[in-house]
Amino acid sequence: APKVMVIGCAASRVPIEIVFDQGLGDVFVCRNAGNQCGDTVAGTVDYALNHLGIKLVVVMGHQGCGAVKAARLPVELIMKEPPKLRKLLLDMKDSLAYCEDTLANIMDANARDRESVIANALGQVKKVVAEQNVLEKVTKGDVLVVAAFYEITSGIVDFIELPTLSAFRASSKPLPSIKSS
């Protein structure tokens, strides 16, 4: 049975089992555009924790994520998308709002894209941990939820240092700003 769950992007360039050199059945994988954590994914996390005994949840973004790039577009352009995609992108845009000023000040496009993907992964970790069932398990130390960034060009996965648990509690407090590289 798998011991880890990875919430990753649907991009075909990010085959989770290959990235982590794992076989079939070794990783419980949930993939969608931009590694989003909405209600369906939250239910999948609950299943993983409560029925599979998963102890580690990784929210992994990747280099060059088109969904994250699209979420950073002006709202006027996002509003032209089909309804379901529009909702996905607006939800992601909300997750990035806490650091938009910082992201806008990063002049190097590759660095800005990387930090945007990391910020999205952190925002999605916040959503996962905000679920009461998950928060209780994290608070007890039974489960760990982390963010990661997969660099496609090198094959390296960076695990992201998270702010304290209190920053992830279900509240309206924004996450701290990320620092530019």
Side-chain angles (χ1 to χ4, degrees):
K3 300 291 182 226
V4 62
M5 175 181 191
V6 178
I7 301 167
C9 188
S12 61
R13 300 171 293 154
V14 189
I16 304 297
E17 291 83 359
I18 294 171
V19 168
F20 289 107
D21 194 25
Q22 297 295 301
L24 295 176
D26 293 338
V27 182
F28 190 64
V29 178
C30 185
R31 294 174 62 170
N32 63 75
N35 43 275
Q36 292 297 288
C37 299
D39 288 344
T40 300
V41 174
T44 306
V45 171
D46 282 345
Y47 176 78
L49 301 182
N50 294 311
H51 295 280
L52 299 178
I54 298 287
K55 301 293 183 193
L56 173 62
V57 178
V58 178
V59 179
M60 188 175 76
H62 69 90
Q63 178 183 24
C65 181
V68 172
K69 285 180 186 176
R72 294 201 62 240
L73 291 172
V75 172
E76 301 77 40
L77 292 177
I78 293 172
M79 295 307 289
K80 294 177 182 177
E81 296 294 346
K84 302 267 190 222
L85 176 57
R86 180 172 54 231
K87 180 178 179 354
L88 181 139
L89 294 175
L90 290 173
D91 286 350
M92 196 180 317
K93 190 171 199 62
D94 284 346
S95 294
L96 292 169
Y98 78 92
C99 63
E100 189 55 45
D101 290 342
T102 300
L103 294 173
N105 287 321
I106 300 173
M107 296 300 120
D108 180 78
N110 289 331
R112 185 175 47 253
D113 286 348
R114 176 187 168 89
E115 295 303 325
S116 297
V117 169
I118 290 170
N120 179 59
L122 288 169
Q124 301 314 309
V125 166
K126 181 180 179 184
K127 287 181 181 180
V128 171
V129 175
E131 296 291 328
Q132 190 60 40
N133 175 51
V134 178
L135 181 59
E136 288 172 8
K137 291 178 185 308
V138 168
T139 302
K140 287 186 207 172
D142 294 339
V143 171
L144 181 62
V145 182
V146 300
F149 175 82
Y150 173 56
E151 187 175 70
I152 294 171
T153 54
S154 69
I156 293 172
V157 176
D158 291 325
F159 289 87
I160 311 305
E161 184 177 350
L162 301 174
T164 61
L165 179 60
S166 61
F168 286 101
R169 294 204 187 274
S171 73
S172 60
K173 291 180 184 175
L175 290 171
S177 294
I178 58 174
K179 293 187 173 38
S180 59
S181 306

